[in-house]
């Protein structure tokens, strides 16, 4: 079951990477109508490193999620192959050791790093040209040929289990911190993250009726309109915000299903959760409610839209509390 969930999450990450790639290259999404200012009022896209700079105690022997045993001798030049993993490394206080990034690492501190991977499209040549001491990958990183090429060059590759919910935050931080020789920093970061998540969930309105929230994946320029079901990766976040996953509860067993009027009416969401660039790609809220079926839902009627930045929405990393706080504020404070 874990492997199935990871493949589903990987499928979404691939689509997300394509979205961010097209946008970065000046694709059609760049010309989409920009949402009103209140829909884009997010905090600066930065990570918050722990106080102080930990000194890795190496070498360490660790077991990778792919079953391989590896020894990490050095951690001077690091290449995380996903935005979420990059976020963990930077937040542990080791961002100055990162020499490359994935296209989904959109936070400010990583912005100037060269992009060597776009979801499932890892450039082995690009990675090897940077002479890394350690590559940190997801179970979905690939293609396999590229990963084998990196290993064949003698570069240790730590594979970390993918994230599908809040329960994965701590284990992923711990796995990265252990491999980098900073386990105490990992424990500190896990405590900080869990404490902040608890603070958000503890502030949820107690008298509110549990709203139904549908996660929609939108890519207007490619005519991709999907509704998330079980396994989309959004259920845990939606439930932590005190809501119900409308897609999952309506019986959608697939990770994602093409949006139809029938599916939306059956899901009957009170609000919809979207990625910010996806919302932009359909022309903002005005364009979203023109998608067949959306206007007929309570969410469409009330224009109750919750929008979160693409690269962080489902990363389930050290900024999960910020993502959750944003969802809660928009969901109960009037939405976008």
């Amino acid at each position: 079951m874990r492997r199935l969930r990871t493949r589903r999450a990987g499928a979404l990450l691939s689509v997300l990477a394509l979205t961010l790639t097209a946008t970065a290259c000046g694709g059609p999404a760049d010309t989409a109508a920009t949402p009103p200012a209140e829909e884009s009022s997010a905090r600066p896209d930065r990570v918050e490193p722990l106080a102080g700079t930990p000194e890795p105690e190496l070498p360490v022997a660790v077991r990778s999620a792919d079953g391989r045993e590896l020894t990490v001798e050095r951690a001077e030049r690091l290449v995380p192959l996903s935005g979420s993993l990059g976020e963990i490394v930077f937040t542990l206080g080791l961002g100055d050791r990162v020499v490359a990034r994935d296209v989904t690492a959109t936070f400010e501190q990583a912005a100037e790093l060269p992009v060597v991977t776009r979801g499932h499209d890892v450039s082995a040549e690009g990675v090897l040209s940077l002479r890394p001491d350690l590559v940190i990958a997801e179970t979905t990183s690939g293609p396999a040929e590229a990963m084998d090429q990196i290993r064949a060059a003698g570069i240790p590759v730590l594979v970390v289990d993918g994230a599908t919910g809040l329960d994965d935050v701590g284990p992923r931080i711990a796995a990265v911190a252990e491999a980098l020789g900073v386990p105490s920093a990992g424990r500190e970061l896990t405590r900080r993250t869990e404490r902040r998540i608890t603070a958000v969930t503890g502030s949820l309105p107690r008298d509110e009726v549990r709203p139904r929230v549908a996660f929609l994946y939108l890519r207007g320029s490619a005519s991709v309109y999907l509704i998330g079901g079980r396994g989309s990766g959004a259920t845990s976040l939606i439930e932590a915000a005190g809501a119900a996953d409308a897609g999952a509860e309506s019986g959608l067993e697939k990770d994602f299903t093409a949006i139809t009027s029938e599916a939306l009416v059956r899901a009957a969401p009170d609000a919809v959760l979207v990625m910010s660039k996806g919302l932009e790609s359909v022309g903002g809220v005005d364009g979203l409610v023109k998608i067949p079926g959306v206007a007929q839902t309570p969410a469409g009627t009330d224009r109750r839209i919750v929008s979160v930045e693409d690269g962080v929405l489902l990363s389930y990393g050290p900024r999960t509390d910020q993502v959750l706080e944003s969802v809660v504020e928009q969901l109960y404070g009037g939405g976008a």
Side-chain angles (χ1 to χ4, degrees):
M1 177 61 73
R2 176 78 183 188
R3 190 174 294 112
L4 176 60
R5 292 168 63 204
T6 300
R7 285 201 300 266
R8 287 173 172 173
L12 174 59
L13 288 173
S14 294
V15 178
L16 172 57
L18 288 173
T19 300
L20 293 176
T21 300
T23 303
C25 294
D30 289 338
T31 61
T34 302
E38 63 268 25
E39 293 171 12
S40 305
S41 57
R43 70 187 74 210
D45 189 10
R46 294 180 56 84
V47 300
E48 180 189 348
L50 294 172
T53 302
E55 185 60 38
E57 296 183 7
L58 301 171
V60 294
V62 295
R63 184 176 179 82
S64 184
D66 60 357
R68 291 180 170 89
E69 303 285 345
L70 66 148
T71 299
V72 180
E73 302 279 355
R74 295 170 53 83
E76 300 297 326
R77 300 179 65 80
L78 307 173
V79 177
L81 296 183
S82 76
S84 177
L85 293 173
E87 180 180 326
I88 292 174
V89 176
F90 271 84
T91 311
L92 285 169
L94 300 175
D96 61 339
R97 298 167 183 253
V98 178
V99 296
R101 68 180 177 94
D102 177 71
V103 71
T104 59
T106 57
F107 52 92
E108 185 176 307
Q109 293 100 319
E112 300 303 317
L113 292 172
V115 174
V116 295
T117 172
R118 304 176 189 275
H120 285 284
D121 187 16
V122 176
S123 169
E125 293 78 9
V127 171
L128 293 175
S129 71
L130 294 165
R131 299 173 288 106
D133 301 316
L134 176 67
V135 170
I136 310 173
E138 304 271 359
T139 48
T140 54
S141 297
E145 294 80 8
M147 304 307 296
D148 289 343
Q149 186 177 344
I150 293 170
R151 291 189 181 96
I155 308 300
V157 178
L158 173 73
V159 179
V160 179
D161 279 323
T164 59
L166 269 71
D167 289 344
D168 297 316
V169 174
R172 281 166 60 84
I173 292 174
V176 173
E178 181 183 1
L180 295 179
V182 292
S184 60
R187 290 189 291 271
E188 181 183 352
L189 179 56
T190 297
R191 287 193 296 268
R192 188 185 83 175
T193 305
E194 292 178 345
R195 183 174 64 251
R196 291 178 174 182
I197 290 172
T198 299
V200 178
T201 57
S203 67
L204 290 173
R206 299 302 175 188
D207 299 328
E208 291 276 350
V209 176
R210 191 168 179 240
R212 294 170 61 83
V213 178
F215 174 44
L216 305 185
Y217 182 83
L218 310 171
R219 183 71 172 98
S221 60
S223 298
V224 174
Y225 310 109
L226 307 173
I227 179 171
R230 300 187 191 280
S232 72
T235 301
S236 178
L237 182 67
I238 290 171
E239 291 180 347
D245 186 334
E249 293 203 351
S250 71
L252 296 178
E253 294 295 335
K254 291 183 179 180
D255 47 355
F256 287 93
T257 300
I259 290 176
T260 63
S261 297
E262 293 78 10
L264 284 173
V265 169
R266 186 165 55 249
D270 301 302
V272 297
L273 172 65
V274 295
M275 295 178 177
S276 57
K277 287 185 175 62
L279 183 60
E280 291 175 10
S281 78
V282 298
V285 176
D286 288 340
L288 175 59
V289 296
K290 293 178 183 177
I291 295 175
V294 173
Q296 285 69 51
T297 66
T301 300
D302 297 336
R303 298 170 67 89
R304 197 174 182 188
I305 313 301
V306 178
S307 172
V308 179
E309 198 274 323
D310 300 44
V312 73
L313 175 58
L314 299 181
S315 67
Y316 292 115
R319 290 190 291 171
T320 298
D321 65 292
Q322 295 180 24
V323 175
L324 184 56
E325 182 180 21
S326 177
V327 171
V328 169
E329 287 176 350
Q330 294 180 69
L331 187 58
Y332 301 104

